Amino acid sequence: MRSRYRILVGLVLAFALIAAACGDDDSAGDTTTTAAATEDTTTTTEAMEETTTTAAAETTTTEAAASDALVVWADESRSPAIIAIAPAFEEATGVAIEVVQKDFGAIRDEAIQLIPTGEGPDVFIGAHDWTGPLSDAGVVAPMNDLPAGTAGDFFDPSLTAFTLGGSLYALPFQMEGIAMWMNTTLAATTDAPATFEDLTTLCDSVLSGDQACIALPGGADAADAYHMFPFQSAFGGSIFTFDPAAGYTADTAGIDEAESIAGVDFMAGLVEAGYIPSYNYGNAQEAFQQGDALFWMTGPWARGDAETGAANSGFEFQVISIPTMEGNTPRPFFGAQGIYLSSQTTQELVAKTFIYDYLATPEVQQALYEADPRLPANKTVAEVVSSDPIVAAFTQSIANGQPMPNIPQMTGDVWDSWGAAMLQVRNGESDPTTALTAAGEQINGLIGA
Amino acid sequence: MTAPSSARSGRFGSLGPGFWFRFGSMAIIDAMALWAMYSLIDQEQWLVMAALAVGAIGLNFIYFSSKTIPLRYIAPGLVFLAVFIIYPIGYTIYLSMTNFDQANNVNKEQATASLESIKVISDDPAEFALTVYEAPDGELRFLLVDDDGATCFGEPRLKTDPPSDTTCESIPLDDPANPPDEIDGSTKLRLIDLVAVEGELLASAIDTPVGEAVVVTASTAQSGQIQRYTYDAARDVLVDNIEETECVPTDGNYVCADGRTLTPGWRIFIGADNYVDALTDQRVGGPLLRVFTWNVIFAVSVVFLQLALGLGLALTLHNVQLRGIKFYRSILILPYAIPAFISVLIWRGLMDTNFGPINNDLLAWTGYAVPWLTNGFWAKVSVILVTVWQGFPYMMLISMGALQSIPTSLIEAAKVDGANGWQTFRKVTFPMLMVIIAPLLIASFAFNFNNFINIFLLTNGGPQLLTYDVPVGETDLLITFTFSLSQNAGRFALAATFAILIFIIVALISAFSFRFTKRLERLYGNL
């Protein structure tokens, strides 16, 4: 806010000054002057408009804090669902809901930057792995007082995902994790392979030429350890120590342990045998959409893309759980998305009323689900949509899963380092032991272990 | 204004359109400045307000005194300089001397409030449906109804007051789920009225048979809450009510007696520590030399190749008589005209290892696909290629302009002296060209030294290396390395430190190069 102010004031001053200097010119009627003068007017008007709004907002803050609108940040797909309940909330409480639409990925950093200045949202949507960074940055308030009755409406894993250091930091509304999209036309069967042996046999029997067996993101030029975690976890590997009750402990990086390496070795075998080409996310999507990949390992967010591809290339598909690997069940990462409460909100009661009494209701949860159908975190909604085979398949797949780390130590650097090691394996540039040992050392250095 | 004697000032003094325009503009500026000062006073930003006031008074003087006419033309530039150059640099220097990172993001009050907002809920909290009433004396009354329909009605106390014996009493209700509009002369408040007393509600507690209950939302209350940390302002310590220890502010964080460091912390001024870290800490210092070396190689080779290609084409277009030369010139300028955001992303698609058109053709012709973006060496080649492609038209344009300005008599004289084409170029054309384009080459070097966009969009610094203590990529420049420090690890202050160090490096290189071009000018400039 403060710096924006200064720049704004500076801009206006500067433009007006240019105009003023031109005004002194002899050729007062020539085109330059006119242009400058016009520019001056527009800038000033715009600036005044913007500043007026700010001024109005400030006045209300000081005079009647309670009647301020509740500012909600949401991404473009979820905004309509929140806008839809705004009138009912305003009628009941007299508090308007102001939904600010943001790019989902931008919300985290903007919240960290803006909330301390008082310019941030009161309530915002976010992913569960932001919990660590957001609470570290002091911009979110815990929701430990979420009534047990309300909490009981949500699946435990979705709440665990948002819990850090014993505190719950968001009300979940959806979960997501990876499974396998299967092109049943190409496979000429709807029988899901139960083991990777079955899967490779199936690929051998039906695929030809350039067709890919498993389109798995995380190859080519894009590091993406997330999509390959099922392999790593199947044999007991993890990134940090994970306990379903206590969550993650950032003791040492687990990716260089024997269990992790065994899983990646298994994957490297498939890579070497040509079952997993070195695709990045875009390549994998394209291959599946063209009908050139038998399986696509990714999450429920790809539903629209899969449907488009199926319609355009004329194939049928289904979603299956990731097959077992030498008798081991893969544990894909799952993620959750939820609604955070700003630590700097001036309207804690209103915000909590909005989250606990309005957003937590099955109706709103249903609307949020429909806005971008992944997997509902709310039990009632899950029951309603359980007849959807895709939702059912993903639910089954992530039932074996574990949440992505939400601890602050899981920085972008850790993801980068891990992803780089996996990328080297995918591109055949390094063997699993070498790559993961190097990445493990790097990660241990990063977390100071 | 008194009427000055000179003709020029006299014209200004005659209150012509020029004066009125100035007057109008300054009126707007003054109004804006006054309004901004008013808001700044409101926010208690005294320093900024004072600076603004001094600036505004100065500007009025400049634009209305007849002694400061030259300044009138410089003043806008000075304002831009202050707002867009001096302020950001000053602020970056300030940030680099703080401990600003992800966990030290807020100020101390906010960090303390954040820690104080952590509540621990007992294993078996009691939850109540809450209805708020207003007694005839204006005080609030709470009606709590638990799941079994048991009621509790009474006057809340402040949370800070000591708990008393049960202050609420059970009252008979016909339908506990729908409390009546009036109890004992107290009237029920609607949700909309509760918003107005929000602060009061949040500060209230009521003692029930199962212990203190506090307001959670407008319609629920809960017992069994314990505030984890309480700040003792008098002693400046944070008391941990669960572990029963005390946490003392130490270097921007509360550090408890049992050794725990609490987050969030807050920003403090730490002086030159970040600079010492950046230069000595092996964790960041290790990859720095590698990044710096590649950065120099990148910038030098890009500028050199751009110049070679651009100058070559300029000479060709200058000397060869071609039909439709304007057409070729327009085509050649296109790479420069397309925004990097579009062209670099298109290149990324073209160079895609699996489905990129370049590799598809290469495969078809040679049977070999180049790992453009996935192999360290080729990624370096790719970023240089794309950047050269993007920038050679600029070099071509300025070279063509510079070629026009070389007198043909000199070239003819060289010919008469028996010089061949290469000798003429080497001894006459090129030195004269350098006088004109050397400063632009330095600017181009400085730009490419910090060519964030191309690296970010094409490889994002990758492929990553695993040989250092922090992730760093084969194609990372100092600026993208700095960016990932702030973006991936949230180490904002350290990133600011690197930004300042890069600024110093670029400034030194530029200063050195400009001295070199001065020498060129002395040698050839007066020909």
Side-chain angles (χ1 to χ4, degrees), chain A residues 195-222:
Chain A
T195 68
F196 259 84
E197 257 176 25
D198 296 347
L199 185 144
T200 49
T201 316
L202 179 67
C203 284
D204 288 339
S205 66
V206 300
L207 296 185
S208 60
D210 286 344
Q211 290 174 326
C213 178
I214 306 169
L216 174 65
D221 56 346

Side-chain angles (χ1 to χ4, degrees), chain B residues 59-77:
Chain B
L59 284 176
N60 280 293
F61 177 74
I62 289 170
Y63 283 90
F64 288 113
S65 162
S66 52
K67 287 176 189 151
T68 53
I69 288 171
L71 261 180
R72 291 181 194 172
Y73 291 87
I74 301 170

Side-chain angles (χ1 to χ4, degrees), chain A residues 179-182 215 217 281 284-285 288 294-298 302 305-306:
Chain A
M180 282 184 145
W181 300 82
M182 174 179 175
Y281 188 89
Q285 176 179 331
F288 189 77
L294 189 49
F295 296 98
W296 181 18
M297 254 176 96
T298 194
D305 294 326

Side-chain angles (χ1 to χ4, degrees), chain A residues 273-299:
Chain A
Y275 292 109
I276 304 178
S278 182
Y279 284 173
N280 60 25
Y281 188 89
N283 296 156
Q285 176 179 331
E286 190 169 325
F288 189 77
Q289 284 186 315
Q290 300 289 337
D292 288 335
L294 189 49
F295 296 98
W296 181 18
M297 254 176 96
T298 194

Side-chain angles (χ1 to χ4, degrees), chain A residues 180-195:
Chain A
M180 282 184 145
W181 300 82
M182 174 179 175
N183 182 331
T184 50
T185 309
L186 200 55
T189 172
T190 53
D191 295 340
T195 68

Side-chain angles (χ1 to χ4, degrees), chain B residues 8-63:
Chain B
R8 193 173 158 79
S9 309
R11 190 158 52 80
F12 285 128
S14 70
L15 306 183
F19 171 81
W20 286 113
F21 191 80
R22 246 185 315 146
F23 185 80
S25 304
M26 284 312 295
I28 294 169
I29 291 168
D30 287 343
M32 297 286 304
L34 275 178
W35 170 80
M37 278 192 270
Y38 174 77
S39 318
L40 287 169
I41 291 173
D42 216 38
Q43 295 175 25
E44 302 187 352
Q45 295 286 328
W46 304 114
L47 206 68
V48 188
M49 197 218 71
L52 193 63
V54 170
I57 292 169
L59 284 176
N60 280 293
F61 177 74
I62 289 170
Y63 283 90

Side-chain angles (χ1 to χ4, degrees), chain B residues 17 67 121 190 247 282 287 310 314 395 435 450 458 461 468-469 519:
Chain B
K67 287 176 189 151
I121 314 292
R190 293 166 304 151
C247 310
Q282 195 49 36
M395 292 295 178
V435 176
N450 287 325
L458 200 63
Y468 293 96
D469 290 336
R519 217 180 67 206

